[in-house]
Amino acid sequence: MKGSRLLKSSWPVIVVGAGPAGALCAYSLARAGLSVLLLEKACFPREKPCGGGLTPKAAALLPFSFQAVVDGEVKRAILRLPGVKTLEIGWGRPVCFLVRRELLDTYLAEQARRAGAFLREGEEVVQIEETGEALTVITAGGASYRAQLVIGADGALSRVARLVGRSLPRRFALTAAITPPPAWSEKRDTILIDLEALPYGYGWVFPKAGHLNAGVGSFAAARELRFHWENFARRNGLGRPLRLRAHPLALAGEETELGRGRVMLLGDAAGLVDPLTGEGLYAAFCSAQLAAKAILEEGVGERAVPRYRELVKASLGREYHFAHRLARLFYRFLPLIARYFSSRPEQVRHFWEFLFFGGYAELFRRAGARYWEKLLRGPSS
Ligand SMILES: Cc1cc2nc3c(=O)[nH]c(=O)nc-3n(C[C@H](O)[C@H](O)[C@H](O)COP(=O)(O)OP(=O)(O)OC[C@H]3O[C@@H](n4cnc5c(N)ncnc54)[C@H](O)[C@@H]3O)c2cc1C
């Protein structure tokens, strides 16, 4: 039986971190018949500070159903834009799934285990050493395992990434669990996005079973996140948080690092969070699938790493090339864009759909330069 296999000391692939990126990569490799050790420092179910908004484009990358862990489906959004009235927009279909990360992540890790990956919980990786043609992974408990290839999927503060020279993220988000105030208790399919909450960022409220997940995140190195959080909570009548936690946002950009030698980095460990929306689950799943593809094409060894880099460049890299341009325009010219959007809810709906279903490259291709010119000229055009 899979669960009772004896733990070997030598593995073709060791995945460090069983979050969304690590669990999905281990799942894909194990399904293809590779022997994979998945080391996770926490024990499931464990918390991860996150809004738990799962976009349809991210969900489409999961090769199995995840309905069992969906708390709700978003069909309406309240959008607070600076200087203009609040917009309420609706869709006839779900535009985002709401999940609790403790449930989603437990479920994903279980899928990896069922596919044949050897999952070890409570095993924190503290060191990786090069030993000839292999790597030795050492855990806090003193265990050591040899691997041909190590996949760092250990999140924004990744130890594996630091071992290959990636710097730590400089952007942060604050998230809280809140008992729903009466005004929110009926709004299970409605989210709030508040672009007035702080400069170069936004505040959100996502309803979950039994509580609201609310937070503020900044795409600039914002100080005083707590101050912005308090204003945001007061303005939106959110009351006192049950738990308030800060966590780094591993934004894509100059801090992105996909790996070196026999080490690959995925998801937050690679610094792949969307620079406009802060969405990270899509990149976690996408990088997991691309890493598995590179390994299955090139074998378990150094050649898989450049292949992975190539694959990421052609997909996520292309997307983020546009995302960065759009993020710069969007936050810099937000008051103008807000004025344009305020009288065109249909445009907001389309913009949202591109972000959550399609992607940036598609948005730029379809919309063309004239759209952006019009957008920036404002409502008089
Ligand atoms: C406040 C906040 C809100 C967010 N909201 C959203 C959202 O609504 N939608 C969205 O798409 N994205 C959101 N994100 C981003 C998203 O949470 C991340 O991009 C996503 O979790 C990345 O997945 P991952 O698997 O790369 O890393 P993680 O989810 O961080 O998983 C890493 C795993 O590695 C384990 N680990 C860490 N160190 C070690 C070690 N040394 N040894 C072994 N295991 C280790 C951890 O315990 C963890 O299980 C949000 C981020 C923040 C901070």
Side-chain angles (χ1 to χ4, degrees):
M1 266 173 61
K2 280 163 188 160
S4 62
R5 281 174 305 170
L6 280 180
L7 186 58
K8 300 181 289 183
S9 63
S10 192
W11 298 80
V13 182
I14 293 182
V15 180
V16 183
L24 184 60
C25 187
Y27 169 90
S28 303
L29 293 172
R31 278 292 295 241
L34 264 176
S35 191
V36 184
L37 176 62
L38 178 54
L39 296 174
E40 167 57 51
K41 83 169 172 191
C43 293
F44 291 107
R46 60 103 182 85
E47 267 188 61
K48 156 76 178 76
C50 183
L54 181 64
T55 59
K57 70 179 180 183
L61 295 173
L62 288 175
F64 37 73
S65 164
F66 59 94
Q67 283 303 323
V69 291
V70 172
D71 264 3
E73 294 178 341
V74 178
K75 291 194 180 146
R76 298 193 66 75
I78 302 167
L79 196 59
R80 289 206 202 291
L81 294 164
V84 298
K85 66 181 189 309
T86 297
L87 291 183
E88 278 208 48
I89 41 178
W91 293 267
R93 58 175 174 162
V95 290
C96 191
F97 304 99
L98 297 172
V99 296
R100 273 173 286 163
R101 285 293 301 273
E102 59 271 32
L103 298 189
L104 175 74
D105 292 17
T106 305
Y107 181 77
L108 295 176
E110 179 57 17
Q111 298 305 310
R113 200 188 59 76
R114 284 196 190 168
F118 199 105
L119 171 65
R120 298 273 294 175
E121 298 174 53
E123 283 250 48
E124 180 180 3
V125 170
V126 290
Q127 187 59 274
I128 299 174
E129 287 167 2
E130 269 199 83
T131 41
E133 291 289 277
L135 296 166
T136 301
V137 175
I138 300 161
T139 70
S144 73
Y145 309 99
R146 276 167 67 80
Q148 301 298 309
L149 197 70
V150 170
I151 297 182
D154 47 342
L157 296 172
S158 169
R159 195 177 281 264
V160 182
R162 273 178 284 155
L163 293 174
V164 298
R166 207 205 91 198
S167 50
L168 288 174
R170 284 175 287 140
R171 276 66 167 196
F172 283 83
L174 263 183
T175 176
I178 291 166
T179 306
W184 272 94
S185 44
E186 298 302 316
K187 294 182 182 163
R188 288 293 296 278
D189 65 352
T190 305
I191 60 172
L192 167 78
I193 300 289
D194 184 348
L195 283 150
E196 276 184 317
L198 73 170
Y200 285 87
Y202 64 89
W204 72 86
V205 179
F206 291 173
K208 302 290 171 69
H211 73 279
L212 296 179
N213 174 296
V216 289
S218 163
F219 303 111
R223 286 184 218 112
E224 301 171 338
L225 220 44
R226 176 135 201 161
F227 165 81
H228 292 304
W229 156 261
E230 274 161 13
N231 278 343
F232 163 72
R234 195 172 326 113
R235 225 188 22 249
N236 291 293
L238 294 178
R240 286 177 68 79
L242 303 170
R243 289 184 305 278
L244 187 60
R245 289 184 65 189
H247 194 79
L249 276 176
L251 290 186
E254 68 264 28
E255 288 155 21
T256 301
E257 168 63 64
L258 297 170
R260 287 185 204 166
R262 292 175 175 272
V263 176
M264 271 180 190
L265 299 172
L266 314 184
D268 277 15
L272 288 176
V273 169
D274 185 309
L276 175 71
T277 62
E279 177 187 13
L281 290 169
Y282 172 68
F285 294 152
C286 187
S287 59
Q289 299 283 27
L290 296 178
K293 182 173 161 58
I295 293 168
L296 296 175
E297 280 178 14
E298 295 295 332
V300 185
E302 283 187 22
R303 280 181 30 198
V305 181
R307 178 65 184 138
Y308 168 59
R309 209 176 283 124
E310 246 172 53
L311 290 170
V312 173
K313 215 173 148 197
S315 57
L316 272 177
R318 204 170 107 76
E319 280 289 298
Y320 283 170
H321 169 73
F322 292 107
H324 279 293
R325 286 162 64 184
L326 184 53
R328 267 198 301 273
L329 283 177
F330 188 82
Y331 290 108
R332 187 153 167 230
F333 296 106
L334 187 56
L336 276 179
I337 291 173
R339 276 169 58 209
Y340 177 84
F341 274 156
S342 66
S343 55
R344 294 171 178 83
E346 200 51 38
Q347 295 280 356
V348 182
R349 222 188 323 268
H350 282 142
F351 184 68
W352 195 294
E353 285 176 14
F354 271 116
L355 295 186
F356 282 27
F357 285 88
Y360 295 99
E362 182 66 4
L363 177 65
F364 269 77
R365 194 182 65 74
R366 288 259 194 105
R370 279 198 55 231
Y371 175 77
W372 301 107
E373 277 163 25
K374 257 173 86 180
L375 201 67
L376 295 178
R377 256 189 271 126
S380 58
S381 59

